[in-house]
Amino acid sequence: MCGARLGEDLPPPGPDVGPTPPRRSGRRPASSPALQLPCDDAAIAALLSPRKLALDCGGASAGGVEATKLLKASFGSLSDNRAALDLTGPFKDAERAVLLDSETRHVLAAAVVHVRAGSVLEVPLFATAKKFRGQGFGSALYAALAGLGRRLGLQTLVVSATDESRAFWVRQGLHAKKFCGAAEKSAMSSLEQRGLVTSFENTTLMAAPIPQGLEPPPLALDQRDRDRLPGLKARAAATTHCYEDINDKGSFWVAADGSRQWRAPYPADEMLTGVDPNVKWVPYKELEAFFAGPTRGWGLRCTRDIKDTEFVVEIVGRCLSFEEYEQLEDKTYAVGFPENISEAKRAAGDRLQYIDPKTEGGLWRFINDSEEAPNLRLVYIPRFEKPSAKNPDGVLPKRAFLQAAHDIPAGVELTWDYGPAYPRPWKEAEASEAGGQALRVDEGGRRAAAKWASAEPGRSVSSPTPADVGAAERCRGEASTRGGTGEGRVSGGADARVEKPALAERDRATTDRKLWPGAFDAGWRIREACRNAAKNSHWKYVSPEGKDYTSAAAAASASGRGESRPSGLVATAAAASSGHESGAESELEVECEGDKEWFAGVIKSYSSRRGLCVAYDNGETQYEDLDDWGLDDLEVVGFEGDDTTSSLQHLHAFDTSSDEEEPHMTGALSAEDAAATSAEDAARAPARACSTCTLLCDDPQARSCQAISDGGYEQAAEQEEGRLRGAKLDDEWVGKGELPPALVARAEELVAQREAERSALSASQGSDSDSDASPASSRSKPNELAGAIPPVRLAQLAGRARPGEQQQRNVGGDLCT
Ligand SMILES: C[S@@+](CC[C@H](N)C(=O)[O-])C[C@H]1O[C@@H](n2cnc3c(N)ncnc32)[C@H](O)[C@@H]1O
């Protein structure tokens, strides 16, 4: 069955239990000669020292009382673990490895490590101190241990993973036997047969090959380092991702006349409280979508700890029959029931086969898949009962929920297992990456789609298996949502094409103006990037062949019109002068080639990805890509006002009221703020937070937050991701509302020139003849504009730490903060 799997039986309500510490199964590992960990290894020390970390190894007293306490707190509740804790009995040859803060000597993480004959590095116990969790210390200790294993020429690293720690180990590259490659599987079997590993009850044995070589592996950072990225609460997530949040209303059917028929109020047998009167819910407001990286896209996390068995979300959305599901253009989000339930439903005439949250849903639509270590499980009510003689229709599930499979600390990404039928093209990418070949998931998706489409030339949507359709559609959705070129789109025959719903399009005149004369007739279209994106001026440029481009310049380039802007804006003039008294927003004038017409507008924001967002006086809002303009084409036409009411009142959005050092975005002062704030204060004032999201935004009233919809959030998130991984920061990053630095620098240069001219003029004439010029006359005669923003102000603006610079200063402290 395609679509993610919808549910398993709701388990009977159970006690609210915490994580179960591992218990030894009683199997005895074979004795082996003792091997010492080379803990004084210089390469390992070099790996750790930039993070101000140190490794201490030895017997049961290594790391002192603090390490003993940590291991006891994590594993000491069962007497069976005593031997491992005290390094006695079967663990007499084991060692303790402790990660310390090299300055404070605090114990950050500790492990018991056994070097076993058979080239195995066994880690029976591993714990990170509670107050230091989620900061990468566990990953650092793992990297150090793997490095030591390398040094000793060991082949396999084996751990006993609890349910809670499985996701951590998966991130480090370890897998349970079921998910291991063939080589690892046989290695694990042989280890088990020879009794070379210690298995604990309630744990899963996980293993990874230890890559050989002298260099220690790079430090991987823990997933929870992403916590620092701002998240999107329900309302902002819905606005940003173009869907309606119906979490409070539940699922609905669409009637023939297009109206919605809500499933609530539910009959008694569909009430969760009927199954478990003490059901505990995670408050919806504690959930937030966050950017989980370019491969996974967006994910979901909770801002508070979740207890085992708590209910996290209900699967809400549009109810679909099988036939309706088949018509879906994008099946990425729809979930269906497992085959046996689906069959029973079909036999009983139950239309409810899928629930799709794509356009109407809840935050659950962001929850990513984890086959191996999900922390949520899908449960449904009523509990499924097969049709029987007594009850010919059986009992068919109607509602589904995601419930915590174990305790989940705040900030950890929530995941569930999409089920066996869900196509996972990203696994191909992961496998290639593991093999040393970096392959982005979008390429994997496109390749998978192309493979599906080419496997059988006659394939069509009318006759494939549901799994085929799901696979192809998901791959297609993935390729296009991740900016794919569309090359892998499924088109195995005319009827394999799935019609898109009508997206708003620009008319012929606008298309020709924005692209080039004749573009519309040649088949080019300017279409909203996703449904309802037009209201945010989020357009894409679609070629006659159906390929999407994100900018007019890219479209022009693809059409063979060269890299530069084909005909539209030639930019003989650009940024600067404010016509507003407060001077809060910079005005811009642009001349279109050919018709010699000047278009006036106001710069609303700038994103390095999409360029300047300009609100033109004719009511249109358009992104202008500065890369298409040579800076020599830009001419600063002047500035109005004095220190307190000058233009270019853009500033970086540091929240100076908090301790947080990292600027997120930049913002522009509102007219009132700018008027009321002195130039110096303005340069330091915190920008206002947008009412729809956690970001800073210059339009707090906007229903849709431009800061997010213009890609600023994702860009910032990717930057943050890069920073966390120690990647070089993109110097060119400029967030929302900040003018491009090159433009500011050019403006500064021209203004300084102008100032010099003015001084020279006033020295010779004894007067300042520019002081009466009005903005209107300024615009009509740009070069004669009067009034200049004092160079010192521009220098202040330009000289403030930019987000990238500020972030770079913090890099060294990542693991230690
Ligand atoms: C229901 S959506 C989940 C939300 C999605 N990440 C987003 O940004 O909207 C399912 C899609 O997310 C992506 N995805 C989910 N789990 C993933 C994983 N473990 N690795 C990579 N991509 C994943 C795949 O593109 C999949 O088709």
Side-chain angles (χ1 to χ4, degrees):
M1 182 57 60
C2 49
R5 185 188 49 183
L6 230 186
E8 40 188 73
D9 283 338
L10 183 68
D16 197 16
V17 291
T20 316
R23 174 204 289 265
R24 286 196 52 216
S25 68
R27 273 191 296 133
R28 298 260 152 186
S31 61
S32 55
L35 273 176
Q36 292 286 305
L37 288 176
C39 286
D40 49 357
D41 188 279
I44 305 292
L47 172 82
L48 298 172
S49 62
R51 310 278 186 184
K52 299 195 180 75
L53 301 173
L55 192 66
D56 185 11
C57 302
S61 60
V65 184
E66 222 182 315
T68 307
K69 260 175 139 173
L70 167 60
L71 288 169
K72 274 198 179 148
S74 308
F75 302 104
S77 62
L78 294 171
S79 55
D80 267 357
N81 291 319
R82 274 251 61 101
L85 289 169
D86 299 341
L87 306 187
T88 54
F91 296 95
K92 67 180 172 37
D93 295 329
E95 285 182 63
R96 195 187 273 184
V98 182
L99 187 75
L100 301 159
D101 182 318
S102 57
E103 286 175 353
T104 64
R105 305 304 287 177
H106 276 313
V107 170
L108 307 168
V112 168
V113 185
H114 221 173
V115 180
R116 297 210 178 267
S119 295
V120 178
L121 184 66
E122 190 199 347
V123 184
L125 303 182
F126 188 103
T128 306
K130 201 165 183 184
K131 67 177 172 184
F132 297 116
R133 278 185 201 155
Q135 298 169 52
F137 298 125
S139 309
L141 179 56
Y142 168 73
L145 294 181
L148 294 175
R150 273 186 184 198
R151 274 282 184 277
L152 293 171
L154 303 177
Q155 306 287 332
T156 314
L157 192 141
V158 181
V159 302
S160 276
T162 58
D163 281 352
E164 288 83 348
S165 68
R166 255 181 21 222
F168 167 81
W169 290 116
V170 170
R171 287 198 298 278
Q172 311 305 319
L174 282 84
H175 295 285
K177 206 166 167 190
K178 184 177 163 203
F179 298 94
C180 282
E184 283 174 73
K185 259 187 196 145
S186 72
M188 278 178 93
S189 298
S190 128
L191 290 172
E192 284 173 315
Q193 276 161 19
R194 288 185 289 151
L196 288 177
V197 287
T198 312
S199 154
F200 292 97
E201 273 179 20
N202 302 318
T203 63
T204 309
L205 217 52
M206 297 176 79
I210 299 175
Q212 296 306 296
L214 289 179
E215 287 306 308
L219 282 191
L221 284 171
D222 195 279
Q223 175 97 348
R224 282 213 284 154
D225 283 318
R226 295 203 186 109
D227 292 0
R228 291 177 224 153
L229 297 179
L232 299 181
K233 297 287 186 192
R235 206 176 92 183
T239 318
T240 311
H241 290 264
C242 302
Y243 70 91
E244 184 187 343
D245 193 303
I246 55 165
N247 183 64
D248 290 346
K249 299 179 188 156
S251 299
F252 67 93
W253 288 98
V254 174
D257 63 359
S259 64
R260 291 184 199 173
Q261 290 173 350
W262 297 98
R263 292 214 55 242
Y266 299 101
D269 66 334
E270 291 185 33
M271 296 293 285
L272 196 52
T273 42
V275 181
D276 179 0
N278 300 316
V279 61
K280 289 206 182 75
W281 276 99
V282 171
Y284 197 55
K285 64 178 170 42
E286 303 283 0
L287 299 173
E288 59 183 26
F290 73 104
F291 189 62
T295 306
R296 303 163 75 81
W298 288 72
L300 192 72
R301 67 187 175 199
C302 182
T303 53
R304 70 123 154 110
D305 291 351
I306 298 177
K307 285 251 172 248
D308 187 21
T309 73
E310 274 186 333
F311 280 82
V312 180
V313 276
E314 177 174 0
I315 301 296
V316 295
R318 182 179 166 182
C319 300
L320 299 171
S321 66
F322 193 78
E323 294 71 29
E324 287 166 327
Y325 170 79
E326 278 198 310
Q327 299 303 314
L328 274 190
E329 188 212 1
D330 181 357
K331 296 181 171 70
T332 309
Y333 293 87
V335 298
F337 294 86
E339 194 59 47
N340 60 335
I341 298 181
S342 180
E343 272 309 314
K345 279 172 165 272
R346 227 186 296 202
D350 180 354
R351 284 174 68 210
L352 180 55
Q353 290 278 4
Y354 293 92
I355 296 177
D356 183 20
K358 175 91 196 291
T359 50
E360 293 96 357
L363 283 168
W364 74 270
R365 80 202 276 290
F366 294 107
I367 302 179
N368 282 318
D369 167 67
S370 171
E371 246 184 317
E372 193 172 353
N375 47 29
L376 304 180
R377 64 171 155 255
L378 197 58
V379 294
Y380 54 74
I381 54 169
R383 213 187 159 115
F384 177 55
E385 277 175 32
K386 276 190 199 158
S388 62
K390 201 169 138 207
N391 183 356
D393 285 343
V395 179
L396 301 171
K398 300 284 186 187
R399 295 175 70 189
F401 305 84
L402 284 165
Q403 187 188 30
H406 51 73
D407 285 358
I408 309 166
V412 166
E413 179 174 7
L414 303 175
T415 54
W416 61 292
D417 179 358
Y418 286 1
Y422 197 90
R424 293 173 170 89
W426 60 83
K427 284 179 80 174
E428 189 186 342
E430 279 165 8
S432 301
E433 252 167 38
Q437 262 181 314
L439 174 71
R440 285 178 61 97
V441 72
D442 47 356
E443 289 160 2
R446 280 199 295 278
R447 281 222 320 250
K451 202 162 119 193
W452 179 85
S454 62
E456 266 179 50
R459 242 170 187 174
S460 76
V461 168
S462 54
S463 61
T465 66
D468 282 340
V469 179
E473 287 303 304
R474 270 183 213 102
C475 293
R476 200 186 83 147
E478 188 163 289
S480 59
T481 51
R482 298 192 192 291
T485 60
E487 281 158 14
R489 286 188 171 196
V490 178
S491 57
D495 54 352
R497 288 184 188 279
V498 181
E499 287 304 314
K500 288 182 174 235
L503 293 173
E505 280 185 359
R506 291 302 185 86
D507 62 17
R508 175 192 305 246
T510 313
T511 304
D512 284 358
R513 184 157 66 77
K514 303 226 173 266
L515 288 171
W516 54 89
F520 189 90
D521 286 341
W524 285 83
R525 294 290 177 269
I526 303 179
R527 197 170 281 152
E528 60 181 349
C530 64
R531 210 177 294 171
N532 296 328
K535 66 175 190 283
N536 296 328
S537 305
H538 193 181
W539 299 96
K540 63 185 176 187
Y541 301 81
V542 186
S543 76
E545 296 78 36
K547 287 190 185 179
D548 296 344
Y549 298 92
T550 50
S551 74
S557 172
S559 77
R561 286 176 157 73
E563 290 299 311
S564 62
R565 198 174 198 81
S567 76
L569 301 168
V570 177
T572 41
S577 170
S578 166
H580 303 274
E581 275 183 16
S582 65
E585 293 178 306
S586 301
E587 291 197 350
L588 168 130
E589 296 183 15
V590 163
E591 187 190 28
C592 269
E593 195 177 50
D595 53 13
K596 299 282 176 209
E597 190 183 347
W598 283 71
F599 289 87
V602 176
I603 299 173
K604 303 303 283 181
S605 66
Y606 172 72
S607 112
S608 62
R609 192 167 63 88
R610 305 184 62 199
L612 286 174
C613 176
V614 183
Y616 283 103
D617 290 357
N618 64 4
E620 280 183 8
T621 299
Q622 173 72 25
Y623 278 90
E624 306 297 2
D625 190 348
L626 266 194
D627 291 344
D628 293 345
W629 302 355
L631 270 184
D632 287 343
D633 293 333
L634 300 175
E635 189 177 352
V636 173
V637 291
F639 298 92
E640 273 294 305
D642 55 27
D643 269 10
T644 54
T645 60
S646 55
S647 63
L648 288 177
Q649 297 260 9
H650 290 261
L651 76 162
H652 293 281
F654 290 93
D655 183 356
T656 50
S657 62
S658 85
D659 292 342
E660 202 175 350
E661 284 183 7
E662 295 167 11
H664 298 301
M665 294 293 197
T666 59
L669 289 181
S670 72
E672 310 86 66
D673 288 347
T677 313
S678 74
E680 203 177 327
D681 286 347
R684 293 199 187 107
R688 287 192 290 179
C690 169
S691 61
T692 58
C693 69
T694 56
L695 299 180
L696 297 161
C697 176
D698 62 354
D699 188 5
Q701 302 310 320
R703 187 174 168 266
S704 168
C705 177
Q706 195 77 37
I708 303 169
S709 59
D710 76 352
Y713 178 90
E714 288 188 22
Q715 194 175 25
E718 277 184 38
Q719 289 288 328
E720 180 71 357
E721 170 89 356
R723 184 182 76 78
L724 292 171
R725 305 222 166 269
K728 188 179 174 304
L729 288 166
D730 173 5
D731 290 334
E732 288 180 0
W733 184 77
V734 184
K736 158 80 179 155
E738 183 183 19
L739 286 178
L743 187 57
V744 173
R746 176 74 175 142
E748 186 180 11
E749 195 182 298
L750 291 167
V751 168
Q753 236 174 44
R754 184 84 180 127
E755 276 291 291
E757 283 166 19
R758 275 163 47 124
S759 315
L761 196 69
S762 34
S764 67
Q765 295 182 352
S767 69
D768 184 351
S769 59
D770 285 335
S771 56
D772 290 327
S774 70
S777 63
S778 304
R779 280 198 296 280
S780 55
K781 288 183 163 187
N783 291 330
E784 289 168 24
L785 243 190
I789 192 165
V792 62
R793 165 121 182 87
L794 279 168
Q796 273 174 354
L797 284 170
R800 281 186 65 94
R802 293 178 51 212
E805 291 160 0
Q806 180 79 12
Q807 286 169 351
Q808 262 169 329
R809 281 204 297 275
N810 295 335
V811 165
D814 271 345
L815 277 173
C816 306
T817 51

